[in-house]
Amino acid sequence: MSKFSAGLKLGDLNDFIAPSQTCIVSLKGVKKNSQPEKGVIRMQERVQTTEQDTAPVKVTLHDCLACSGCVTSAETVMLEQQSVDEFLKQVSSAEKAVIVSVSPQSRASLASYYGITPLQALKKLTTFFKSLGVKAVFDTSCSRDMSLIESCEEFIKVYKAQGTSNFKGQKRGFPLLASSCPGWVCYAEKTLDASILSHISCVKSPQQAMGAIIKRFACANMGLKVDEVYHVTVMPCYDKKLEASRDDFVFSIEGNENNEQAGTARFTEVDCVLTSGEMLDLLQGRCSDFMLLDESPLDRMLTNVDESGHLYGSRGGSGGYAECIFRHAARELFNKELSSPLEFKTLRNSDFKELTLEVEGEVVLRFACCYGFRNIQNLVRKMKTGKCEYQFVEIMACPSGCLNGGGQIKPRKGQSGKELIQNLETVYLKEVNVSNPYENPIIKGLYDSWLDHPGSQKCLQVMHTGYHTREKNVASEISNW
Amino acid sequence: MEMDVVQELQGHSDRVWSVAWRPDSGISGRPSMLASCSGDKTVRIWQCSSSQDLFIQHWSCVAVLDGMHQRTVRSCEWSPDGKLLATASFDGTTAIWENVGGDFECVASLEGHENEVKSVSWNCSGTLLATCGRDKSVWIWELQPGNEFECTSVLHGHSQDVKMVLWHPCEDILVSASYDNSIKAWIEDKDREDWVCAQTLSDSWGHTSTVWTVSFDASGHRLVSCSDDLSLKIWDSHSNLLSEGNLWKHLCTISGYHDRTIFSVHWSKASGLIATGAGDDCIRIFSEESNEKSTLGGDLTYKMVLKKEKAHITDVNCVRWHPQEASLLASAGDDGVVKIWKVAGESLY
């Protein structure tokens, strides 16, 4: 059974592969058949297969996605099992320095499971991973602050460019849609047309932002070259594995005099993704009692922990995009300082909430949080019929958002799904200070020393991405006859 | 028991998949209206010119709904008040048409299914619409003011193509039938703010091949299902023996009468007779065997009281009893023809 989000389960997840639809990737490198002479019957020599020929052809998920997006349930099983094995292999081979970035949702999932705080969970995880040989354990709340800042800058740009000139060569209009959920992005690329895709924010997700930060810049501060780093993230869902394998997140480093090869070398921002559940399996398999693990000091370089040892980050189990951009826009565009917790208005159901800002009786900002497939359907409908009044929508594929991701640790015996989510919402911010991304000293430092300033040209190159409609090829359409 | 053709309705240029009587046909003198949908991408509306005598041949085509669907229209259903007609198509969309003084105007198009939509059904109050399709999902839509529809739920559970969805005649319980051999019942779970599968009818008492159609009796207490496994099954929800969480219990299986796939089954609200349309071109009618010893789950049986061979010259895709007039039956075939039948006999009343 696939553990991917609803949008990915639909369509193309089809075990019936029609004859012409079989995976073509593995056939690359098949020997060419030369044309026989007309009128001559060619007798084919039986080819003796050698040991090497019978080695299984490996099709990576990357190859699969690059083809036509036909992800069968066989591939999802391969995908689901691949990550932990790969991770352990890398860690034990010690060829590369393994860096693990833990998401705050995964940390909360673990904290809830063991009844401890997120800080305790992250500290114990640091001990555990390092005992395996991991070099550093970081926190994606940190890179998330950069994603949030870039999203704020992007919003202001689009707001100001509204109806006027083109933005980035493409007419951008409202609503701007959050880009951090790969379940949503993959669904949009496969089923919606380019007109909807043009609304998706181009800012990278916290996972990919962390990958970019580590591999393109920060690893040097750790005395590592980019080809010496193996970056692993721990995430609340399986869809993040698909995100990590996107071609858009593969980059090349320009070669230098010493190494002509480097110009052609390609690196990926995130090498491996483990889900919270896989991380728990790993813990339970290798560690007799997680609760007895020491609490190691955190690796501060890319972790949101302040001088007094408190964790900090944005509010919102799905990243807090709507809230953060709303506050920033209120401040920058309307000079309104919104300090108290923002009041979301629940619409159809608790997975569809609205935020509005009124100035002199007129609604000037209207944002929404839209979680779950059915709500996404309604939002897309409104967009298609031109009835969408929102300027920004935080879209997430999973009902209740990322805390309820498909890869999170399952409820304990006797605990209902609803109880677990309520607990996760509380634990997520337990002893975590809510902070303004713009005030994150680590991120400020990254802008100062590397990316110049928020929204700069360098940011556009390194922290932004694009989307592509996945055209269905003829072969996959045959099953629709 | 006898069955004779009243009229053959020609006009479609491809197989006719489904027919649906407008619910108020014959009530307060309203003319009977029948919708039929076809592989020719259109829906035709047929009307009987006289409400007095339905058995004289004066049915005519009063409207052709075209230009909307890009592929076969697989299913059509009237809203309970007869004002709207929903049409489900292989093009992945479900269109909603409004009857505006004899003209039908498309007022909405529901998108979202990944591929062919196979069936559509309105709930008894006309506030909810369900659709299902080859993408294995069942969607529930809520009607909003201004003929707007909002997606309320996308239900996964079936492991194969879902052939049909049907709402209970009185309560908001949705039943779905699938190529995965099972029938599922779905209800709303207010706690979870979503719809959930309350029961799956499969395995021991379930069908052993594709379930094509389901139909409720007038009260909604019983459900009949038909399948590629050549049997009909009757399910009951009235029994005190039902365990918690189980809405339906298998009552009996009717087998040995069909030798080809049974594509359609319909339970007459007026007479209680069950009609079937099958791949052997026949229409059959079944009646509950009056049995004094019969208790629920005990001695209940159904016997075949009529077999009309060559009802169509091809597969019979759909059979539907008239909502009011017990002796009228409509059928649709691969031959592109819609037939109106008159049934006569003792078992009728």
Side-chain angles (χ1 to χ4, degrees), chain B residues 42-118:
Chain B
T42 74
V43 174
R44 280 176 177 255
I45 310 293
W46 312 88
Q47 191 175 297
C48 183
S49 55
S50 158
S51 58
Q52 251 79 39
D53 196 337
L54 297 162
F55 310 116
I56 295 177
Q57 298 177 23
H58 37 224
W59 289 82
S60 57
C61 179
V62 297
V64 178
L65 280 50
D66 60 5
M68 262 311 291
H69 289 302
Q70 311 293 325
R71 286 180 64 189
T72 293
V73 187
R74 179 66 176 82
S75 164
C76 54
E77 293 293 343
W78 299 89
S79 61
D81 63 6
K83 291 186 181 150
L84 299 173
L85 182 71
T87 58
S89 168
F90 281 1
D91 67 10
T93 70
T94 303
I96 311 292
W97 307 78
E98 190 167 11
N99 187 352
V100 185
D103 275 328
F104 285 81
E105 215 180 87
C106 179
V107 296
S109 175
L110 311 183
E111 288 173 9
H113 276 288
E114 280 288 299
N115 41 48
E116 295 89 25
V117 189
K118 302 284 175 101

Side-chain angles (χ1 to χ4, degrees), chain A residues 39-64:
Chain A
V40 173
I41 299 169
R42 151 107 22 134
M43 297 291 281
Q44 288 272 23
E45 261 183 57
R46 175 172 290 188
V47 178
Q48 295 293 336
T49 52
T50 64
E51 270 302 310
Q52 289 157 319
D53 288 353
T54 55
V57 179
K58 271 195 169 171
V59 179
T60 65
L61 182 69
H62 172 94
D63 293 331
C64 255

Side-chain angles (χ1 to χ4, degrees), chain B residues 232-252:
Chain B
L232 297 173
K233 284 179 186 282
I234 311 284
W235 309 87
D236 187 88
S237 68
H238 209 194
S239 165
N240 292 332
L241 301 170
L242 285 175
S243 54
E244 222 188 82
N246 280 327
L247 300 168
W248 302 90
K249 194 172 93 94
H250 172 265
L251 207 51
C252 70

Side-chain angles (χ1 to χ4, degrees), chain A residues 6 10-11 13-14 187 191 348-350 373-374 377-378 381-382 384 387 418 472 479-481, chain B residues 71 109-112 114 116 134 136 139 142 144 148-154 156 191 193-194:
Chain A
L10 288 186
L13 199 65
N14 188 345
Y187 171 72
T191 32
R348 277 197 68 80
N349 49 63
S350 54
F373 191 64
R374 57 181 172 164
Q377 284 303 309
N378 291 325
R381 252 181 97 66
K382 288 230 157 73
K384 283 186 177 173
K387 292 182 184 168
K418 196 172 178 183
K472 299 188 177 189
S479 62
N480 283 339
W481 270 54
Chain B
R71 286 180 64 189
S109 175
L110 311 183
E111 288 173 9
E114 280 288 299
E116 295 89 25
R134 187 166 67 82
K136 310 170 196 169
W139 292 50
E142 196 175 325
Q144 307 281 313
E148 275 293 318
F149 283 83
E150 258 188 29
C151 173
T152 299
S153 197
V154 178
H156 299 280
D191 261 354
E193 287 185 315
D194 203 354

